[in-house]
Amino acid sequence: MASRSCLTVILAAGEGTRMKSSLPKVLHPIAGLPIVAHVAKAVHGAGGSDIALVVGRGAEKVEAAVRSIVANVTVHEQTERLGTGHAVLAAREAIAAGYDDMLVVFGDTPLVETAALEQARAKLAEGADVVVMGFRPGNPQGYGRLIEQDGRLIAIREEKDASEAEKKIGFCNGGLMALRGDSALPLLGKITNSNAKGEYYLTDVVEIANAAGKSVVAIEISPDNVIGINTRAELAEAEAIWQNRKRRAMMLAGVTIQAPETVFFAHDTLIEADVILEPNIVFGPGVSIASGAIIHAFSHLEGAKVGPNATVGPFGRLRPGADLSAKAKVGNFVEVKNAKIGVGAKISHLTYIGDATVGADANVGAGTITCNYDGYNKALTEIGANVFVGSNSSLVAPVSIGDNAYIASGSVITANVPADALAFGRARQEIKEGRAVQLRARYAAQKLAKKAD
């Protein structure tokens, strides 16, 4: 397949009015990636290195989403909505450049799989001129039926035009199509709008190709591949299907997911074998987790790296730039942002570490925070190897704590601490014997006075 060139026409000019959104329909995200980018990703995986993108509203943003996946993109505006055949021919110039294969897909079908597109291309390589991708829904009502004869696809019959016998056919048109490159323009050019709606239908290519003695076949793909998104309800349904696919793939690759239905992945989440995921975990984009790590329940990770045998949570929060080395521990109610945590370092609970480095085997006590922001600028906190930071300490950046140093609990550290030093940064404690009795009497009198008023 690598020796055959391929152009993919992505139809993404729909208005998407039923989404009731100012954002173009194909830019709504699934697993953190725009719908149309999912389509481009599948196309790219099937060897579609060149894309002709047919756009309408929000053209620049749609183009940017596709270019984030595939570099070679030409953009073609569809100024009128005159049917799918008309939409494909908006990319006439790109099609005329000459390719071995041509795929036609929709920008709002985020669940289309690379394997399905590869299957269609394989049929072209075997000699087919037109390949229609069909599916078998639980209920075929409302779908166009694929009419086959002796292994050939002879027609796509819309339900309103189908006979009673044809309505019993369960093999339906999914809308996705592949065409032999040198046959594409001659066939597409013969589509007419002589129908009740006055539109140019891509499906007419089947009968046109048969009349010209071309080879037309249908292949069966799973129904998920052709699910289009028109409403936010359908968007949520597609998200659920995508997540279930990802969960299954993760578990088959050796990841333990204790309650799969409660774990949510991003489109680019990378997790190695022998990682354990407890319930109720959310992954934002840009997360990688190495083998042996454990992510405890109710944790949220985004833009973060978790090293081998490290642990996060429960209720851990890793924000972009968090980088945990091997055997590091980020415990319950700990937030880490833009910080490198060294091998074996422990940040066990109720702590914020931002814009910092934490050395190997350091221990950061509960309630500690790095004061990294002065209202205008961020500054770095450096915590050396084997440092012990006592509970409820504030480290005011920029500040550096040398290897093996101790920070006394409750300290506010504003100056650098040398290696092996002990630093106190808190008010001196004083005890006033009997003063509590006087305070209680005073406060009680004040309370009574307020009531009297």
Side-chain angles (χ1 to χ4, degrees), residues 64-418:
V66 173
R67 285 192 186 278
S68 71
I69 306 297
V70 178
N72 297 329
V73 180
T74 58
V75 179
H76 311 270
E77 186 178 4
Q78 185 186 16
T79 55
E80 297 179 277
R81 306 292 186 268
L82 299 177
T84 50
H86 177 264
V88 173
L89 282 173
R92 181 189 295 271
E93 184 178 352
I95 299 169
Y99 291 84
D100 296 316
D101 301 339
M102 175 179 150
L103 294 169
V104 179
V105 298
F106 298 101
D108 65 351
T109 56
L111 301 175
V112 62
E113 296 175 292
T114 291
L117 301 176
E118 288 176 330
Q119 187 182 352
R121 290 195 65 198
K123 286 293 183 182
L124 293 178
E126 292 170 8
D129 292 285
V130 178
V131 182
V132 173
M133 293 177 242
F135 71 111
R136 296 185 185 275
N139 179 4
Q141 185 176 357
Y143 293 106
R145 308 304 204 275
L146 300 183
I147 313 298
E148 294 180 291
Q149 186 178 84
D150 300 325
R152 295 168 48 244
L153 178 67
I154 60 172
I156 300 176
R157 191 84 71 233
E158 294 303 320
E159 186 173 57
K160 59 183 173 56
D161 300 320
S163 67
E164 288 304 314
E166 289 170 339
K167 287 180 180 179
K168 294 178 181 178
I169 296 172
F171 196 23
C172 299
N173 178 35
L176 309 179
M177 190 177 291
L179 297 91
R180 188 178 180 86
D182 55 10
S183 298
L185 277 180
L187 293 175
L188 292 167
K190 292 180 180 179
I191 298 175
T192 69
N193 65 342
S194 55
N195 52 64
K197 288 189 175 181
E199 294 186 352
Y200 298 83
Y201 296 131
L202 180 62
T203 51
D204 288 352
V205 161
V206 171
E207 294 190 48
I208 292 169
N210 275 300
K214 302 290 186 180
S215 171
V216 184
V217 298
I219 61 171
E220 183 176 343
I221 59 178
S222 73
D224 291 353
N225 282 271
V226 300
I227 292 176
I229 308 300
N230 294 297
T231 66
R232 294 178 193 259
E234 291 172 347
L235 182 70
E237 290 165 3
E239 176 84 40
I241 294 170
W242 190 96
Q243 291 293 340
N244 281 331
R245 281 183 183 177
K246 187 71 170 179
R247 292 161 185 153
R248 179 173 174 77
M250 287 282 188
M251 290 186 285
L252 291 176
V255 177
T256 294
I257 309 179
Q258 294 179 349
E261 69 280 4
T262 70
V263 176
F264 294 85
F265 297 103
H267 65 96
D268 59 353
T269 306
L270 298 174
I271 303 180
E272 294 181 357
D274 292 322
V275 167
I276 296 174
L277 304 180
E278 291 185 355
N280 298 295
I281 298 168
V282 176
F283 294 95
V287 175
S288 64
I289 303 177
S291 181
I294 300 175
I295 312 300
H296 292 292
F298 296 98
S299 293
H300 187 289
L301 297 81
E302 180 180 357
K305 294 180 180 180
V306 179
N309 302 301
T311 62
V312 177
F315 295 96
R317 175 84 157 94
L318 299 187
R319 291 171 57 195
D323 186 351
L324 277 59
S325 299
K327 299 182 180 179
K329 177 182 179 181
V330 168
N332 51 294
F333 301 102
V334 173
E335 180 178 346
V336 178
K337 187 271 294 184
N338 191 31
K340 173 70 173 178
I341 312 301
V343 175
K346 294 180 177 61
I347 311 169
S348 295
H349 28 234
L350 301 163
T351 294
Y352 170 70
I353 300 294
D355 299 295
T357 59
V358 179
D361 296 314
N363 191 319
V364 180
T368 295
I369 62 171
T370 56
C371 306
N372 56 323
Y373 183 53
D374 62 8
Y376 294 92
N377 301 294
K378 302 287 180 67
L380 178 67
T381 298
E382 297 175 287
I383 300 172
N386 296 299
V387 166
F388 181 88
V389 180
S391 299
N392 200 35
S393 294
S394 298
L395 311 178
V396 183
V399 69
S400 175
I401 301 170
D403 294 347
N404 304 299
Y406 271 72
I407 306 299
S409 295
S411 293
V412 177
I413 302 299
T414 58
N416 292 343
V417 178

Side-chain angles (χ1 to χ4, degrees), residues 422-433:
L422 169 62
F424 289 83
R426 61 194 184 199
R428 186 179 183 88
Q429 179 174 314
E430 293 187 17
I431 297 175
K432 305 293 186 180
E433 294 284 351

